[in-house]
Amino acid sequence: MKSIKTQLKTTLVLVFLLTLKTYSVQAQIANDLTHEEALKILLEAKKSAEKTDVLVNIAVVDAGANLKAFIRMDESFLGSIDVAIKKAKTARYFNMDTGKLGELTQPGGIIYNIELSNGGLITFPGGIPIKNKEGKIIGAIGVSGGTIDQDRAIAIAGAKAIID
C-alpha cells in the first residue's frame, strides 16, 4: 500500500512538472520581438540619430512592454533615459504613436490626465509601436533627447528596420 502511494505521488509530481513545462511554452507571446530584431531596430534608430547629429536615448520594448534593448548615446541627456523608456512603454500600452495619444490627453480631451496612470506615461511624440511584416504589433520604440519631431523621425526609422 505504501509503495502504491509513493508511486502515485511520484506520478503526480511528474505530471505537474510536465504541465508547468507545457504551460510555460504556451504562455510565450507568439508575436513577440526577438532580441535580433530589437538590436536591428535599435541600431537603425541610432544610425538615423547620428545622420542628423542628435544625441538621444533609445529604448525598445517587447510585446509585453518589457525593456528589450536600450542605448544611451554619449553625452545625451540623463533625464531622457526614463522618458525614452516610458515613450516605448506608452506606445505599446496603447498601440499607437505617443504623439497621437497626446492629442487625446489635452485639457478637455477624452483621456485627459491619463499620463498619471501606469506609473507615468509620456504622451508627446517619440514613441512608436513596432509591427512585423504581417502588421502585428510586436513591441515599441521610444526615443528622447532631440526635439519631438526629431525623436519621432528617429523612432519611425527604427520601427521600420525589420519590415523594410
Side-chain angles (χ1 to χ4, degrees), residues 137-148:
I137 295 175
I138 57 172
I141 183 171
V143 177
S144 181
T147 66
I148 58 174

Side-chain angles (χ1 to χ4, degrees), residues 39-57:
L39 185 58
K40 184 175 183 179
I41 291 162
L42 185 75
L43 294 175
E44 188 62 33
K46 180 179 174 281
K47 186 164 52 169
S48 176
E50 289 171 339
K51 281 181 188 173
T52 55
D53 291 321
V54 180
L55 301 174
V56 294
N57 291 279

Side-chain angles (χ1 to χ4, degrees), residues 17-53:
L17 291 174
L18 287 171
T19 303
L20 282 179
K21 175 90 171 131
T22 301
Y23 283 124
S24 68
V25 172
Q26 292 175 351
Q28 297 298 312
I29 299 171
N31 57 339
D32 205 352
L33 186 65
T34 67
H35 70 270
E36 290 94 356
E37 291 169 327
L39 185 58
K40 184 175 183 179
I41 291 162
L42 185 75
L43 294 175
E44 188 62 33
K46 180 179 174 281
K47 186 164 52 169
S48 176
E50 289 171 339
K51 281 181 188 173
T52 55
D53 291 321

Side-chain angles (χ1 to χ4, degrees), residues 1-132:
M1 184 72 150
K2 192 172 187 178
S3 68
I4 292 174
K5 284 185 179 180
T6 304
Q7 287 176 345
L8 183 59
K9 284 181 184 177
T10 304
T11 303
L12 287 174
V13 168
L14 287 173
V15 168
F16 177 72
L17 291 174
L18 287 171
T19 303
L20 282 179
K21 175 90 171 131
T22 301
Y23 283 124
S24 68
V25 172
Q26 292 175 351
Q28 297 298 312
I29 299 171
N31 57 339
D32 205 352
L33 186 65
T34 67
H35 70 270
E36 290 94 356
E37 291 169 327
L39 185 58
K40 184 175 183 179
I41 291 162
L42 185 75
L43 294 175
E44 188 62 33
K46 180 179 174 281
K47 186 164 52 169
S48 176
E50 289 171 339
K51 281 181 188 173
T52 55
D53 291 321
V54 180
L55 301 174
V56 294
N57 291 279
I58 306 164
V60 177
V61 297
D62 63 17
N66 301 297
L67 188 61
K68 191 80 172 191
F70 179 84
I71 190 168
R72 177 178 173 260
M73 294 176 69
D74 294 342
E75 299 181 33
S76 62
F77 295 118
L78 291 174
S80 292
I81 295 169
D82 186 54
V83 175
I85 294 168
K86 286 184 177 174
K87 282 182 182 183
K89 287 183 173 197
T90 301
R92 178 58 185 120
Y93 287 157
F94 297 96
N95 294 333
M96 65 188 316
D97 179 322
T98 55
K100 300 287 183 201
L101 184 63
E103 295 171 11
L104 306 172
T105 65
Q106 298 303 307
I110 60 172
I111 52 175
Y112 178 61
N113 277 336
I114 199 166
E115 299 92 346
L116 305 176
S117 71
N118 294 290
L121 301 174
I122 302 292
T123 59
F124 49 87
I128 303 288
I130 298 168
K131 296 180 180 181
N132 63 15

